[in-house]
Amino acid sequence: METTALYTATAVAHGDGRNGHVQSSDGLLDTPVRTPKELGGAGGATNPEQLFAAGYAACFHSALKLVAAQSKLDAGESEVVADVSLHSLPNGGYGLSVRLEVALPALSHDDAEQLIAKAHQVCPYSNATRGNIDVELSVA
């Protein structure tokens, strides 16, 4: 599939991987990363799973707002919570799973479910992960 890039973000990781540093090319993201205590690390800084969760939550929320506006539905007080879990795989590698919990207090449960399903088709993170990792969607 050939497409034209609308935007390209560039980030560099250096140091010791999960105990290193990440920085975006524009310098707006410039932070240490640490292995979380739950994985035997020191903690005290963000980690790749938190960064992925934040990106997915923000991206999905934008997709949700877009499809809500197109459907003329109220997503004004909406919120997206992304839980990203790290798993051991049978082959010795690692994988991720995601749970997106979406609050749409101005909508009925059925309308919220339909809107979330539409957003899942539009969101670039959802499109990138579809078929690769488990993504669970739920209404808060």
Side-chain angles (χ1 to χ4, degrees), residues 17-140:
R18 285 183 165 275
N19 293 300
H21 197 91
V22 294
Q23 182 177 17
S24 61
S25 60
D26 61 9
L28 293 175
L29 175 66
D30 188 356
T31 189
V33 290
R34 297 289 179 267
T35 300
K37 290 180 181 180
E38 296 84 349
L39 294 176
T46 194
N47 60 65
E49 291 73 31
Q50 288 178 335
L51 293 169
F52 190 85
Y56 203 157
C59 189
F60 196 88
H61 201 201
S62 289
L64 188 71
K65 294 282 195 167
L66 174 68
V67 297
Q70 291 172 341
S71 301
K72 298 186 181 358
L73 293 172
D74 182 5
E77 296 298 319
S78 58
E79 178 179 85
V80 177
V81 176
D83 295 322
V84 173
S85 299
L86 179 68
H87 303 272
S88 294
L89 299 176
N91 67 4
Y94 297 93
L96 300 174
S97 66
V98 176
R99 181 174 188 271
L100 298 176
E101 186 177 0
V102 182
L104 288 156
L107 301 181
S108 70
H109 191 336
D110 288 345
D111 283 346
E113 280 186 333
Q114 289 177 19
L115 198 63
I116 291 166
K118 286 180 184 177
H120 192 46
Q121 297 305 309
V122 171
C123 175
Y125 275 68
S126 293
N127 288 326
T129 60
R130 188 170 291 110
N132 297 312
I133 67 172
D134 290 333
V135 176
E136 177 189 340
L137 306 172
S138 67
V139 178

